[in-house]
Amino acid sequence: MIIVTGATGKLGRRTVEHLLERLPTDRVGVSVRDPRKAQDLAERGVRVRQGSFDDPASLVHAFEGAEQLLLVSLDRTGEECVTGHRAAIDAAVKAGAGRILYTSQMGAAQDSRFQACRDHAQTEDLLRATGLPWTALRNGFYAASALQLLESARHTGDIALPADGPVSWTGHDDLAEAAAAILTDEGRFEGPTPPLTGPAALDFDAVAEIAAQATGRPFTRTVVPGEAFRKQALAHGAPAPIADLMLSIFAAARNGEFTAVDPTLAELIGREPATFRTLLEHTWAE
Ligand SMILES: NC(=O)c1ccc[n+]([C@@H]2O[C@H](COP(=O)([O-])OP(=O)(O)OC[C@H]3O[C@@H](n4cnc5c(N)ncnc54)[C@H](OP(=O)(O)O)[C@@H]3O)[C@@H](O)[C@H]2O)c1
């Protein structure tokens, strides 16, 4: 059985849907914090078990029978994040999982300027130390993250953000489909995959042009000093660690950590990954 964590979240849920297109329902299970949110999956015959990363015993039960486990990374940072991942990896070992797949990120490295990429590198080290077969899906930066950063510009027409660098923004759907493809072709990747990226690396100057073409409205790009951006984020209610985390995305982008464009994602899904323009048009049409 293939078991997916975070299956009530965006990436996990879409991965389950792609798995159900490829496998009989009784080969797919989910480990979710709140089983009520996965009731429709249970009704379709998917094994739904409660599993919280803060309750290791629940995870051992939820991972029972996992030939492969897809561990979807937690939406936390720093020690709190790695502690949760450690609990899940230990539970997978206890449950006898045959292989652990983990949603890492391109640029995962101990010396990354982006905290999340340092957390991913630490988690990959934990996986390496298990002695089990493992695969780290080095996912491209979510285009959804860029679209969140653009939310205010969408209305003002001014992309007022810190100095950045090119990022190969990538769609959730393509990454979910790639995860399902790798899960159903076990052993295709040992350890980290190549970066699974969208088709182009774009800085926010390029994004401004794309936004203008997509909407027919002018978009400007204003570079905001990092400290001013941090203050704005705090004034809008972001906790200081989140403001710092957001700022560190720009530092890592300037450092070229998200610039790679790689054909592996296209090979896995059998088509060109969605362009940033397509994803922007889709989101802004909602
Ligand atoms: N590659 C990138 O660019 C990028 C960008 C941002 C984030 N990420 C990472 O990718 C992950 C998946 O992305 P996403 O868009 O699917 O995020 P998401 O929609 O926020 O999903 C996160 C999932 O984690 C679950 N979760 C949180 N705390 C948990 C706990 N204590 N025990 C069990 N489950 C828990 C959530 O459960 P509920 O449904 O119950 O809330 C949810 O299903 C994120 O969590 C983050 O680590 C990657």
Side-chain angles (χ1 to χ4, degrees), residues 6-12 33-34 37 51-54 72-76 103-105 120 139-142 145 172:
T8 48
K10 292 181 284 294
L11 188 74
R33 181 156 60 169
D34 179 359
K37 287 165 74 179
S52 166
F53 283 55
D54 301 317
V72 173
S73 53
L74 281 171
D75 46 356
R76 297 177 184 165
T103 58
S104 185
Q105 186 168 353
H120 288 306
N139 287 343
F141 218 118
Y142 293 161
S145 301
H172 266 77

Side-chain angles (χ1 to χ4, degrees), residues 174 197-200 261 263 265-267 269-275:
D174 291 334
T197 75
V261 173
L265 179 58
E267 284 158 25
I269 63 176
R271 60 171 187 279
E272 274 305 297
T275 62

Side-chain angles (χ1 to χ4, degrees), residues 225-248:
E227 195 43 41
F229 175 79
R230 190 174 181 277
K231 279 192 186 139
Q232 274 169 24
L234 294 174
H236 281 93
I242 298 297
D244 290 336
L245 185 72
M246 286 165 67
L247 206 49
S248 75

Side-chain angles (χ1 to χ4, degrees), residues 1-7 11-31 41 44 46-47 67-72 101 137 173-186:
M1 175 175 265
I2 293 173
I3 294 180
V4 178
T5 74
L11 188 74
R13 176 65 196 223
R14 291 179 212 188
T15 302
V16 169
E17 293 299 340
H18 285 292
L19 283 174
L20 291 173
E21 286 166 13
R22 294 160 191 254
L23 294 173
T25 315
D26 62 4
R27 295 233 24 239
V28 181
V30 298
S31 166
L41 289 176
R44 286 159 68 187
V46 173
R47 191 185 85 180
E67 289 153 73
Q68 297 186 80
L69 173 74
L70 175 62
L71 173 55
V72 173
L101 294 93
L137 308 171
D173 263 331
D174 291 334
L175 291 170
E177 190 170 346
I182 293 172
L183 282 160
T184 47
D185 186 7
E186 188 177 347

